[in-house]
Amino acid sequence: MRKEEDESLIFYLKKEVEAALLRTDSLEKENRELRQEVVRLKAQITSLKAHDNERKSMLWKKLQNPFDSSKTEVFQQKQTDFVKVSERSVEHSSPRPSLQELAARKEKQAKVPNPPPRPTYAAPPSLKEANDNKLPPPPPPPPNMSSGSKAVRRVPEVVEFYRLLTRRDAHMENRTNSAAVPVVAFTPGMIGEIENRSSYLSAIKSDVEKQKEFINFLIKEVESSAFNDISDVKAFVKWLDDELSSLVDERAVLKHFPQWPERKADALREAAFNYRDLINLESEVSSFQDNPKDPLILALGRMQALQDRLERSIDNMERTRESMIKRYRDFQIPWEWLLDTGLIGQMKLSSFRLAKVYLKRTTKELQLNECSVEDNLLLQGARFAYRVHQFAGGFDAETIRAFQELKKIGMDSLKE
């Protein structure tokens, strides 16, 4: 009886230990992701501040010519207005023109808009039907995704081998990314030194008055736009940005048109830019080629950096995917590419390319005895395999073979 109780206790403790290990792995990964996200956001904030300050500096240089003393009173009265305009976000705005161009634009005629590109497929149902949840069913996943996802399976050996090596190596590499924060010199009184800002405000006023019909046309096009294919959204956003670039300052002009559908225009741009960035990254990963002549550290570093970008991009999209899908559906913007059966899932499977190249390069170096297990090359290979395995949800057949070759060398070395 006592023996059965001991066995039950041992079994219970084993389960507790296994559960604790799983929780530890999950917390370590989450902690690493949060550190990377903080660093990325800090760098992005610094970059945006530097960009904004640079634009202010350029504007000051363009407008630094002295002006007639009679304009001093106008300058003092409108200073607050200009500071507000100059500090506006310039994310979607075109660069501000010179004084000569501003003067010419004051006399220009109303712009005749170019027609927007037409969708390649029929538009989805009306907005009322969309709100009634009567959207058409999502399109089926691409053929290669369907067949590829069936071939992917979990490989417990990857996790076991990685844990074996990490327990053996008490000084497991603790990678932390750090980004240098550039110091941007900015003079608080620089805006106050701008003298000819009245020309800029006059150009904005001229656009508001003369381009009213043109902007109303754009408002109708944005409000009535509906798409079935994300590539049509890309084409529409490119057309819209080209048309708006004719304005002296997009944000400053459009704020005078309260009917401008800003939320929908921003959602269209967000969808188009996110899709474009993901497609470019997926293409870069899928076409990655390892150069055997590159030094080992450089080659492995390139693959790790590419996997970092891939994981960061997918994690960011998955974190906000639910809210994005809801917003896109409300504005009749395609959203199926955000699902695991769409582009997101395709990008996860593309990481197999990096895993196979990484494992083959590591195995080759170990076979040539150019570096030993003590140099942590075996652990690096196991860690990278573990990362990709957890990220993609398993391995395909070719990646499993590449892992088995590395594991064989590792187990033989551990026996010695």
Side-chain angles (χ1 to χ4, degrees):
M1 184 70 180
R2 178 69 177 173
K3 184 177 179 181
E4 292 179 356
E5 292 179 354
D6 291 342
E7 288 178 352
S8 299
L9 179 60
I10 291 172
F11 178 78
Y12 172 76
L13 291 174
K14 284 183 177 180
K15 290 293 183 183
E16 287 292 310
V17 170
E18 290 177 359
L21 287 173
L22 289 173
R23 286 196 299 271
T24 301
D25 287 342
S26 175
L27 289 173
E28 286 178 352
K29 184 182 180 205
E30 184 177 355
N31 190 26
R32 184 168 63 251
E33 291 172 350
L34 289 173
R35 287 200 302 268
Q36 292 174 349
E37 183 70 8
V38 168
V39 170
R40 185 186 69 81
L41 291 174
K42 285 182 178 179
Q44 187 176 6
I45 290 172
T46 303
S47 174
L48 289 173
K49 285 182 178 178
H51 183 57
D52 192 39
N53 292 336
E54 182 182 357
R55 286 182 61 84
K56 291 174 183 176
S57 177
M58 291 175 60
L59 181 61
W60 172 63
K61 290 177 182 178
K62 288 179 181 178
L63 303 179
Q64 64 183 350
N65 295 328
F67 67 105
D68 196 281
S69 58
S70 62
K71 297 182 181 177
T72 303
E73 185 177 355
V74 178
F75 169 79
Q76 293 173 345
Q77 291 175 349
K78 296 183 179 179
Q79 183 175 5
T80 304
D81 292 338
F82 177 72
V83 171
K84 290 180 179 178
V85 172
S86 64
E87 291 181 349
R88 277 289 200 173
S89 170
V90 295
E91 183 180 354
H92 303 302
S93 302
S94 56
R96 293 175 180 169
S98 64
L99 282 176
Q100 292 79 6
E101 292 173 332
L102 289 174
R105 286 185 177 182
K106 288 175 65 176
E107 304 300 328
K108 71 182 179 181
Q109 299 298 321
K111 176 178 170 57
V112 178
N114 295 314
R118 294 304 169 194
T120 54
Y121 301 98
S126 64
L127 187 58
K128 182 179 183 303
E129 291 177 333
N131 292 332
D132 293 337
N133 294 325
K134 294 181 180 179
L135 281 172
N144 60 331
M145 280 291 299
S146 300
S147 58
S149 51
K150 290 180 181 178
V152 177
R153 63 182 180 88
R154 306 288 298 186
V155 187
E157 295 175 65
V158 176
V159 181
E160 294 170 4
F161 186 58
Y162 172 65
R163 286 179 178 165
L164 173 66
L165 295 179
T166 52
R167 291 194 195 101
R168 179 175 174 272
D169 185 0
H171 304 287
M172 184 174 60
E173 177 187 1
N174 182 21
R175 290 183 297 113
T176 56
N177 295 331
S178 60
V181 179
V183 179
V184 180
F186 176 65
T187 306
M190 184 173 65
I191 299 300
E193 299 174 6
I194 300 176
E195 298 174 341
N196 276 345
R197 83 221 180 291
S198 57
S199 298
Y200 171 72
L201 295 177
S202 297
I204 292 176
K205 183 178 179 181
S206 175
D207 269 355
V208 172
E209 295 173 351
K210 295 183 178 181
Q211 306 299 337
K212 187 177 298 184
E213 185 177 346
F214 165 68
I215 294 174
N216 286 333
F217 168 78
L218 296 182
I219 289 173
K220 292 178 181 178
E221 289 297 327
V222 173
E223 287 180 335
S224 63
S225 62
F227 307 93
N228 272 346
D229 195 307
I230 187 64
S231 61
D232 291 331
V233 178
K234 286 176 57 182
F236 182 84
V237 168
K238 183 180 184 306
W239 167 81
L240 181 63
D241 286 344
D242 289 342
E243 295 299 301
L244 289 173
S245 66
S246 64
L247 302 176
V248 64
D249 188 314
E250 174 189 327
R251 295 284 183 182
V253 173
L254 292 180
K255 76 174 184 179
H256 293 278
F257 294 84
Q259 69 273 37
W260 170 254
E262 183 175 3
R263 290 183 64 243
K264 182 169 185 178
D266 289 345
L268 286 166
R269 279 169 164 158
E270 178 190 69
F273 296 154
N274 282 341
Y275 182 78
R276 179 200 63 191
D277 292 344
L278 291 181
I279 281 290
N280 291 341
L281 180 57
E282 193 273 337
S283 176
E284 185 178 353
V285 172
S286 300
S287 61
F288 179 83
Q289 295 288 341
D290 179 35
N291 186 355
K293 296 181 180 179
D294 286 343
L296 177 65
I297 296 178
L298 177 62
L300 298 185
R302 286 175 58 205
M303 287 179 261
Q304 288 172 355
L306 200 51
Q307 180 67 19
D308 285 342
R309 287 173 54 199
L310 189 61
E311 291 183 13
R312 217 164 32 238
S313 298
I314 297 301
D315 288 345
N316 290 340
M317 295 297 291
E318 289 182 334
R319 194 175 293 117
T320 58
R321 175 164 57 183
E322 185 175 348
S323 61
M324 281 195 297
I325 288 178
K326 182 180 183 304
R327 190 164 67 255
Y328 292 173
R329 291 185 67 169
D330 289 343
F331 292 130
Q332 294 180 281
I333 301 172
W335 48 269
E336 294 83 5
W337 56 278
L338 289 166
L339 302 176
D340 286 337
T341 54
L343 178 60
I344 298 297
Q346 183 178 330
M347 293 187 68
K348 288 183 178 181
L349 298 185
S350 70
S351 63
F352 293 158
R353 171 77 181 172
L354 294 177
K356 286 180 284 189
V357 176
Y358 196 105
L359 293 173
K360 288 179 180 179
R361 182 68 183 264
T362 305
T363 301
K364 181 180 178 182
E365 294 292 334
L366 289 171
Q367 288 174 337
L368 294 174
N369 294 322
E370 293 183 0
C371 47
S372 62
V373 177
E374 287 70 27
D375 291 327
N376 283 332
L377 181 58
L378 179 63
L379 177 59
Q380 289 182 44
R383 181 184 293 118
F384 194 81
Y386 176 77
R387 280 184 63 186
V388 175
H389 180 272
Q390 299 302 98
F391 174 66
F395 279 165
D396 62 4
E398 292 185 19
T399 313
I400 292 175
R401 284 195 293 270
F403 168 75
Q404 293 292 354
E405 292 177 7
L406 177 69
K407 181 183 176 183
K408 183 178 183 302
I409 293 179
M411 298 306 293
D412 291 343
S413 301
L414 293 175
K415 292 176 184 178
E416 296 176 358

